[in-house]
Amino acid sequence: MKVLIIGSAGGIGKKLSEDLSKDSSSIFLGYHSNPVDSVYKSKKIDATKFEEVEDFIQSGIEILGGVDAIVNLPGNLILKPAHLSTEEDFYNTININLKSAFGVVRAAGKLLDNCSIVLMSTAAASIGLSNHELISSAKSGIEGLAKSAAKTYARKNIRVNTVSPGLVRTPLSKKITENPIMLKASIKMLAANKIGEPKQISNMIRFLIDSENDWITGQNFIVDGGLSSTK
């Protein structure tokens, strides 16, 4: 399988790259600021810019000889109520999350067919959590984007799905996971009684990009330890 990963330097991206390498997949990695320590070819990319996303995918086609799947992982996490959020906070969150996802769909629609696209949402888009207005707004947009794109590009056999993690132990979430009080409070909200690990999200992404699962499109898969579905 030939896979492009945008945002490959993060916790989920690193684990996904590792797992796909064990599957003998060919991978082309995109990173923003931190170079990827990998045997696979990689390229710096600002995923908030349409032209750079399109150029990255075109490079992937040339380097890998085609593309079977694209996984878009860029994200941020600003936790504050709406009235304390600045306009810069808003646009940064929209650009990093929603605009990068839109750029992937836009470029794939122009350049590819017979492809699986996985975009990242969040469990917080399915349940009301305090101080999550910024990220929930952006990620809800991604879920709507995926559903519409799944229909639009079905004629090109492009599948589009989203994965919605709960609290996962990654560098992005370390302000929560490395704070004993916040971590304990977060775990109490989970039926599984533990936070997630990158492996669990990687497992779901690999399932969705598997060509044998080609009847799945326009869906959102919540992997959150029961956060959004239990009380």
Side-chain angles (χ1 to χ4, degrees):
M1 182 179 293
K2 302 168 183 176
V3 184
L4 309 185
I5 304 175
I6 301 175
S8 56
I12 293 173
K14 289 179 179 178
K15 185 57 183 173
L16 178 61
S17 299
E18 177 186 321
D19 290 343
L20 286 173
S21 68
K22 294 176 182 177
D23 297 338
S24 299
S25 296
S26 298
I27 311 171
F28 183 48
L29 305 174
Y31 65 93
H32 180 239
S33 55
N34 299 319
V36 182
D37 182 15
S38 173
V39 298
Y40 294 102
K41 290 186 177 180
S42 62
K43 183 174 183 176
K44 186 173 182 178
I45 171 179
D46 183 345
T48 68
K49 296 181 179 178
F50 287 170
E51 289 186 5
E52 290 198 25
V53 172
E54 187 171 334
D55 180 67
F56 175 78
I57 293 176
Q58 184 62 56
S59 296
I61 295 171
E62 295 168 2
I63 290 171
L64 302 182
V67 172
D68 299 313
I70 306 174
V71 181
N72 191 61
L73 298 172
N76 71 337
L77 185 61
I78 302 175
L79 299 181
K80 60 174 69 173
H83 73 280
L84 295 180
S85 301
T86 66
E87 196 159 346
E88 182 180 6
D89 291 335
F90 176 81
Y91 282 115
N92 282 340
T93 300
I94 291 296
N95 287 341
I96 292 170
N97 294 276
L98 180 55
K99 188 178 179 183
S100 70
F102 193 96
V104 167
V105 170
R106 174 182 178 273
K110 292 174 66 175
L111 301 173
L112 298 172
D113 51 25
N114 302 311
C115 176
S116 174
I117 298 174
V118 175
L119 307 173
M120 300 302 292
S121 182
T122 174
S126 299
I127 181 174
L129 294 176
S130 62
N131 301 323
H132 281 66
E133 289 90 328
L134 285 166
I135 194 65
S136 292
S137 297
K139 295 299 193 181
S140 294
I142 292 175
E143 291 183 26
L145 164 66
K147 292 173 184 176
S148 183
K151 182 63 174 178
T152 301
Y153 298 109
R155 57 186 173 79
K156 301 188 71 176
N157 195 30
I158 295 177
R159 298 187 296 115
V160 188
N161 294 290
T162 55
V163 174
S164 293
L167 179 59
V168 177
R169 197 187 310 275
T170 67
L172 188 65
S173 65
K174 67 181 182 179
K175 288 185 179 180
I176 299 175
T177 60
E178 294 181 0
N179 181 313
I181 296 175
M182 295 180 69
L183 178 60
K184 183 177 180 180
S186 297
I187 291 175
K188 287 182 66 175
M189 299 171 66
L190 307 175
N193 201 37
K194 62 180 180 180
I195 65 171
E197 301 293 339
K199 175 67 175 180
Q200 291 152 338
I201 309 306
S202 173
N203 288 344
M204 178 56 73
I205 294 171
R206 288 161 61 215
F207 173 81
L208 290 173
I209 65 176
D210 189 330
S211 60
E212 292 189 358
N213 299 318
D214 62 355
W215 212 44
I216 302 173
T217 192
Q219 303 297 317
N220 178 46
F221 293 82
I222 302 176
V223 187
D224 69 352
L227 172 66
S228 61
S229 57
T230 64
K231 183 176 180 181

